[in-house]
């Protein structure tokens, strides 16, 4: 009787694979892929694109919004690593004195700052605004707020602004924030109208706050 072929664990010649070692090396990659697949299936991913490896800062003298929701979610970068974020979504928003900054460190040159400003005279207007943040501060006032609502049942924000079932969330009819400061991985909007837009590149660190 012919015996079944046997795949050795150790090398026994050129072209052979050490199967135990191969399995150990592939487990982390499989786990990451599985985690990403589960997140996709459950609608847990926030941004619809791979985020960069740099967070950026956003500030505004004031924000007025209609249709506010907030819930936990995750972003994913180009390495398919999952990044926890708090998603703030607003159906219609107006921001005064908007500032956005990001600092990049380059070899030899050092720190380079990119600064965007807008809305100094006329407010910045955004519809279906999503911000995936890790920090937010300011003085806030909400109307008809619901705290502790299931994230999958949110219905006051943009149409797609819902999180995973059983997770904590909150929503309100309107939100007003003064002296807004937030650090974020991503922002996207249906429309984003920036009046008086200005961009500057500076050597060294020059941030919104």
């Amino acid at each position: 009787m012919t015996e079944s072929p046997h795949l050795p664990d150790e090398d026994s010649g050129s072209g052979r694979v050490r199967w135990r070692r191969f399995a150990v090396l592939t487990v982390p990659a499989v786990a990451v892929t599985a985690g990403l697949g589960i997140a996709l299936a459950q609608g847990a991913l926030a941004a619809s694109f791979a985020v960069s490896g740099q967070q950026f800062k956003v500030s505004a003298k004031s924000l007025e919004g209609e249709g506010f929701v907030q819930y936990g979610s995750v972003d994913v970068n180009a390495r398919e690593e999952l990044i926890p974020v708090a998603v703030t979504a607003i159906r219609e928003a107006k921001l005064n004195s908007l500032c956005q900054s990001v600092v990049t460190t380059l070899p030899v040159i050092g720190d380079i700052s990119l600064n965007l400003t807008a809305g100094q005279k006329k407010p910045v207007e955004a519809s279906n605004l999503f911000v995936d943040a890790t920090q937010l501060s300011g003085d806030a006032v909400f109307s008809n707020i619901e705290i502790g609502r299931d994230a999958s049942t949110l219905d006051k924000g943009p149409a797609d602004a819902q999180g995973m079932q059983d997770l904590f969330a909150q929503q309100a009819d309107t939100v007003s924030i003064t002296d807004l400061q937030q650090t974020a991985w991503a922002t996207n909007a249906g429309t984003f109208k920036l009046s008086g837009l200005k961009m500057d590149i500076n050597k060294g660190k020059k941030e919104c706050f």
Side-chain angles (χ1 to χ4, degrees):
M1 177 180 290
T2 304
E3 294 184 357
S4 299
H6 174 64
L7 297 176
D9 290 329
E10 302 297 330
D11 289 343
S12 58
S14 61
R16 295 287 188 178
V17 177
R18 296 192 177 187
W19 294 101
R20 287 178 183 171
R21 181 177 299 176
F22 175 78
V24 169
L25 292 174
T26 57
V27 165
V30 171
V32 170
T33 303
L36 182 58
I38 292 171
L40 284 167
Q42 296 181 341
L45 293 182
S48 58
F49 51 86
V51 301
S52 74
Q54 296 176 275
Q55 294 190 76
F56 56 92
K57 293 184 176 181
V58 177
S59 68
K61 185 176 181 180
S62 65
L63 179 151
E64 301 291 333
E66 295 183 3
F68 164 89
V69 300
Q70 191 173 62
Y71 55 95
S73 189
V74 291
D75 282 340
V76 61
N77 61 23
R79 295 184 179 85
E80 296 190 347
E81 297 168 333
L82 301 179
I83 302 168
V85 295
V87 177
T88 298
I90 304 174
R91 196 170 61 251
E92 299 290 340
K94 292 184 178 181
L95 303 97
N96 288 291
S97 299
L98 175 69
C99 173
Q100 177 179 304
S101 65
V102 62
V103 178
T104 301
T105 302
L106 300 176
V108 182
I109 298 176
D111 292 334
I112 299 294
S113 299
L114 169 65
N115 294 80
L116 296 175
T117 57
Q120 303 298 325
K121 296 181 179 180
K122 188 177 179 181
V124 170
E125 298 179 5
S127 65
N128 297 327
L129 176 66
F130 289 76
V131 180
D132 304 346
T134 55
Q135 176 272 332
L136 183 150
S137 64
D139 298 319
V141 177
F142 302 92
S143 66
N144 297 323
I145 190 168
E146 300 172 355
I147 301 174
R149 183 166 177 142
D150 188 298
S152 68
T153 69
L154 295 170
D155 58 8
K156 290 188 176 183
D160 297 331
Q162 292 183 333
M164 294 176 63
Q165 185 176 338
D166 297 328
L167 292 191
F168 172 92
Q170 56 187 359
Q171 65 176 5
D173 289 342
T174 65
V175 58
S176 176
I177 304 176
T178 56
D179 299 324
L180 170 68
Q181 295 183 348
Q182 60 184 358
T183 305
W185 285 104
T187 296
N188 61 283
T191 60
F192 208 20
K193 185 178 180 181
L194 297 99
S195 60
L197 175 64
K198 182 181 179 181
M199 183 186 76
D200 290 312
I201 302 291
N202 299 278
K203 189 173 181 180
K205 286 188 176 181
K206 184 181 178 182
E207 299 181 282
C208 297
F209 59 91

